[in-house]
Amino acid sequence: FLLSLYKFMKDRHTPIERIPHLGFKQINLWKIYKAVEKLGAYELVTGRRLWKNVYDELGGSPGSTSAATCTRRHYE
């Protein structure tokens, strides 16, 4: 999965320089991908404003006010 992801991002000229973090915790890229897929994929998650649900699925801090926005940006 990671090799395909890195190649995909490099091919679209947006290489992954480093693994993103939510809070002080490194994001498991496979887990975020599966969480978004489980909720219906990117368009549905965005359209239904489910990014906070993705954040919660990743075990994020419940008090974060920018959780949804940060999670979406990292996914993108």
Side-chain angles (χ1 to χ4, degrees), residues 38-55:
K38 179 177 151 186
L39 291 171
Y42 175 81
E43 290 81 14
L44 204 62
V45 171
T46 301
R48 293 186 178 169
R49 299 177 173 221
L50 298 174
W51 287 105
K52 176 73 165 83
N53 297 53
V54 174
Y55 176 79

Side-chain angles (χ1 to χ4, degrees), residues 1-63:
F1 170 78
L2 286 177
L3 290 175
S4 296
L5 176 62
Y6 276 91
K7 182 181 179 339
F8 171 78
M9 295 301 284
K10 184 179 177 188
D11 289 349
R12 64 181 280 226
H13 305 290
T14 55
I16 298 173
E17 301 289 331
R18 60 185 173 85
I19 304 291
H21 287 73
L22 281 175
F24 296 105
K25 189 174 159 186
Q26 191 176 58
I27 295 174
N28 180 320
L29 298 178
W30 174 248
K31 278 181 81 173
I32 194 171
Y33 171 76
K34 292 305 284 180
V36 172
E37 186 179 77
K38 179 177 151 186
L39 291 171
Y42 175 81
E43 290 81 14
L44 204 62
V45 171
T46 301
R48 293 186 178 169
R49 299 177 173 221
L50 298 174
W51 287 105
K52 176 73 165 83
N53 297 53
V54 174
Y55 176 79
D56 294 341
E57 181 88 15
L58 297 174
S61 171

Side-chain angles (χ1 to χ4, degrees), residues 57-71:
E57 181 88 15
L58 297 174
S61 171
S64 177
T65 57
S66 61
T69 303
C70 289
T71 304

